[in-house]
């Protein structure tokens, strides 16, 4: 099996100051946490005991005992004559489960990803699309920009938000994430700097760095974007592009105000940095009121990414790019290096949903509202010492724990049948061990049950001795 070797230097940095009383136990605990939360990936080759002992300034016996305990606990495997490898009991699938893949074990409540089942109305749109596709069958079916009906419907969606948009400014993609990869291939090459929010939805940094760009983290604080600090970061970085999620940022849930958008746009314009704005959750305002204007209203060079995944269904695998006309040819060229377009049938279903899907959107928001309220009131009742901001929309609660033990809490919660993601998964440049993200994606009764299990897991973990994580917390 091909595996990545973790250098002793990197491992020492990840471990930080582990508990040394006794050292073998502290080291095994710290290594186990790194495996659980994915920072030591499944299959990664660990340094030899001798090398590890030197790098950490511990005895060889300590390193040997720590590895032995790690193997005994199932977080590593020793291969005779080859070395020690990080391991998760369920292998790679489980590693992916933590971010995106649904968990199907009976009785488990999977809150590992912020994505819902399809709301009513999706099946009808898919069925009707089969008829709509008939006239297309006489052609070759390749639409690298998108099927014209859908480009028009997306352009109309932007017009309804006050942004004049022509259909030929739209490129349909297999989701917003894929849109991000296309944009980066068109805009940024090796060594270019790209600003990214920290914390971030974990697949974004991967998509952004795919073209070789260097990521510059812009930290969000507990109130969201600090425009003074952000302006300084933008000025210093002189980045090619800045990736922002102003609408119910994932994972923090923050919504950027109009004034912040205006200031942010001005800072980017001054620095010559192109805004790439991910609107994946734009249609998920759950409280009364209105959404602020789109970021592109403040910066005409903005490239906007949209998604059908959150308001309709992730299984449609559709999103879009809206860009200034002058960039579209470059974007089409970049996308052709990745794929040649998305299925006609699915695009026709989405065109129907965008034009006639008001009821679907209303139903989706109504159930999310009910689920959010059930989650937040259960958290207030059963976990009153957690700090939970009430987000006006989106899909998740970003919860701050009184102590930085999120990875251990999540492992303990999983043993009790509820999967949630620790803050470290979203950290671009820090550990965020004081945070967990809980998406309100299941019906109210399940959300309440999930909180009861989390409260039980919290009782089991909240008083555990702090290891190396304590001094390394980054506030989101
Ligand atoms: C900010 C953000 N961007 C993109 C995505 C992925 O969207 P899509 O399914 O359209 O690729 C997500 C999913 O959670 C997200 O939160």
């Amino acid at each position: 099996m091909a595996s990545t070797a973790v250098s002793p230097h990197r491992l020492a940095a990840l471990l930080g100051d582990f508990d040394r009383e006794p050292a073998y136990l502290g080291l095994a605990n710290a290594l186990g946490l790194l495996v659980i939360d994915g920072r030591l990936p499944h299959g990664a080759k660990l340094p030899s005991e001798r090398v590890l002992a030197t790098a950490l300034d511990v005895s060889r016996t300590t390193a040997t005992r720590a590895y032995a305990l790690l193997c005994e606990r199932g977080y590593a495997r020793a291969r005779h004559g080859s070395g020690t490898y990080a391991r998760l009991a369920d292998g790679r699938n489980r590693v992916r489960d933590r971010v995106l893949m649904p968990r199907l074990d009976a009785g488990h409540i999977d809150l590992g990803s912020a994505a819902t089942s399809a709301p009513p109305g999706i099946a009808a749109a898919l069925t009707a699309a089969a008829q709509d596709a008939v006239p297309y069958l006489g052609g070759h079916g390749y639409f690298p920009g998108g099927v014209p009906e859908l480009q028009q419907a997306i352009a109309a969606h932007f017009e309804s938000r006050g942004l004049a948009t022509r259909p030929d400014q739209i490129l349909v993609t297999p989701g917003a994430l894929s849109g991000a990869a296309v944009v980066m291939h068109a805009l940024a090459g090796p060594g270019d700097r790209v600003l990214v929010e920290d914390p971030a939805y974990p697949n974004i940094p991967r998509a952004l760095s795919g073209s070789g760009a260097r990521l510059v983290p812009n930290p969000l604080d507990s109130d969201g974007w600090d425009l003074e600090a952000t302006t300084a970061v933008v000025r210093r970085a002189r980045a090619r592009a800045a990736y922002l999620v102003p609408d119910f940022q994932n994972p923090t849930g923050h919504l950027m105000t109009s004034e912040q958008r205006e200031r942010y746009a001005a800072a980017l314009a001054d620095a010559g940095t192109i805004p790439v704005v991910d609107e994946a959750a734009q249609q998920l305002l759950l409280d009364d009121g209105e959404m602020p204007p789109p970021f592109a209203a403040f910066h005409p060079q903005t490239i906007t990414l949209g998604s059908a995944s959150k308001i309709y269904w992730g299984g449609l695998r559709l999103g879009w790019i809206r860009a200034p006309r002058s960039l579209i040819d470059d974007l089409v060229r970049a996308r052709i290096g990745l794929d040649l377009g998305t299925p006609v049938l699915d695009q026709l279903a989405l065109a129907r949903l965008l034009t006639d899907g008001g009821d679907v959107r209303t139903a989706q928001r109504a159930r999310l509202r009910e689920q959010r309220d059930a989650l937040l009131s259960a958290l207030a009742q059963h976990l009153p010492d957690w700090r939970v901001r009430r987000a006006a929309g989106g899909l998740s609660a970003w919860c701050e724990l009184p102590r930085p033990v999120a990875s251990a809490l999540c492992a303990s919660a999983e043993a009790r049948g509820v999967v949630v993601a620790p803050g470290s998964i979203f950290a671009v440049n820090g550990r965020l061990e004081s945070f967990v993200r809980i998406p309100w994606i299941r019906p109210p009764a399940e959300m309440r049950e999930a909180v009861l299990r989390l409260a039980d897991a919290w009782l089991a973990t909240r008083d555990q001795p702090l290891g190396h994580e304590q001094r390394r917390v980054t506030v989101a």
Side-chain angles (χ1 to χ4, degrees), residues 79 232 267 310 451-452:
R79 281 201 240 135
K310 308 298 176 187
V451 172
L452 289 177

Side-chain angles (χ1 to χ4, degrees), residues 253-307:
H254 290 300
L255 176 63
M256 200 185 282
T257 63
S258 299
E259 296 71 34
Q260 287 175 321
R261 288 172 200 238
E262 195 173 355
R263 280 184 71 187
Y264 206 156
L268 293 172
D270 279 351
T273 301
I274 301 176
V276 181
V277 175
D278 181 332
E279 294 191 336
Q282 194 277 332
Q283 297 187 72
L284 295 185
L285 175 65
L286 305 180
D287 285 348
D288 292 340
E290 284 199 4
M291 285 295 283
F295 198 92
F298 301 99
H299 192 310
Q301 292 305 309
T302 299
I303 299 180
T304 305
L305 306 176
S307 173

Side-chain angles (χ1 to χ4, degrees), residues 19-287:
D19 188 6
R20 292 186 183 236
E21 287 179 14
Y24 83 94
L25 187 59
L27 179 54
N29 288 343
L31 285 166
L33 280 182
L34 292 177
V35 177
I36 289 170
D37 72 18
R39 283 173 287 166
L40 264 184
H42 175 78
K45 184 173 183 193
L46 304 182
S48 73
E49 292 158 5
R50 185 182 51 77
V51 169
L52 183 73
T54 310
L56 300 180
D57 195 21
V58 296
S59 72
R60 176 91 178 259
T61 315
T62 296
T64 306
R65 288 185 73 188
Y67 275 2
L69 187 54
L70 199 66
C71 292
E72 195 184 305
R73 290 172 172 175
Y75 295 128
R77 190 164 52 161
R79 281 201 240 135
H80 195 62
S82 158
T84 307
Y85 295 80
R87 173 174 184 268
L88 275 174
D90 303 340
R92 293 184 187 283
N93 286 339
R94 181 167 137 169
V95 178
R96 280 188 282 123
D97 277 350
R98 299 194 147 275
V99 181
L100 211 52
M101 301 295 282
R103 244 203 112 101
L104 300 173
D105 311 8
H108 258 84
I109 304 176
D110 181 7
L111 306 177
S113 53
T116 68
S117 57
I122 301 296
L126 287 167
T127 309
Q131 273 312 307
D132 299 341
V134 172
Y136 282 90
L137 298 178
H140 57 49
Y142 288 83
F143 294 93
V147 165
E149 275 108 310
L150 182 56
Q151 286 179 303
Q152 270 158 30
I154 295 168
H157 160 75
F158 281 111
E159 295 263 351
S160 73
R161 296 169 57 207
L163 273 186
T165 306
R166 289 174 16 195
D168 62 1
Q169 284 178 260
I170 302 296
L171 206 65
V172 178
T173 62
L177 190 68
S178 151
V182 170
V183 169
M184 285 303 134
H185 274 88
L187 282 191
D192 281 336
R193 286 183 295 279
V194 174
L195 279 172
V196 62
E197 291 159 349
D198 185 8
Y201 165 60
N203 294 324
I204 286 176
R206 286 185 203 123
L208 298 187
S209 49
S211 63
R214 274 172 41 208
L215 302 187
V216 181
N218 179 30
L220 298 193
D221 64 23
S222 49
D223 295 323
W225 297 264
D226 171 344
L227 258 295
E228 215 168 294
T230 294
T231 304
V233 172
V234 168
R235 218 176 266 149
R236 244 193 340 267
R238 298 260 151 220
R240 176 85 178 115
Y243 197 92
L244 350 171
V245 186
D247 304 322
F248 311 119
Q249 202 260 0
N250 186 3
T252 63
H254 290 300
L255 176 63
M256 200 185 282
T257 63
S258 299
E259 296 71 34
Q260 287 175 321
R261 288 172 200 238
E262 195 173 355
R263 280 184 71 187
Y264 206 156
L268 293 172
D270 279 351
T273 301
I274 301 176
V276 181
V277 175
D278 181 332
E279 294 191 336
Q282 194 277 332
Q283 297 187 72
L284 295 185
L285 175 65
L286 305 180
D287 285 348

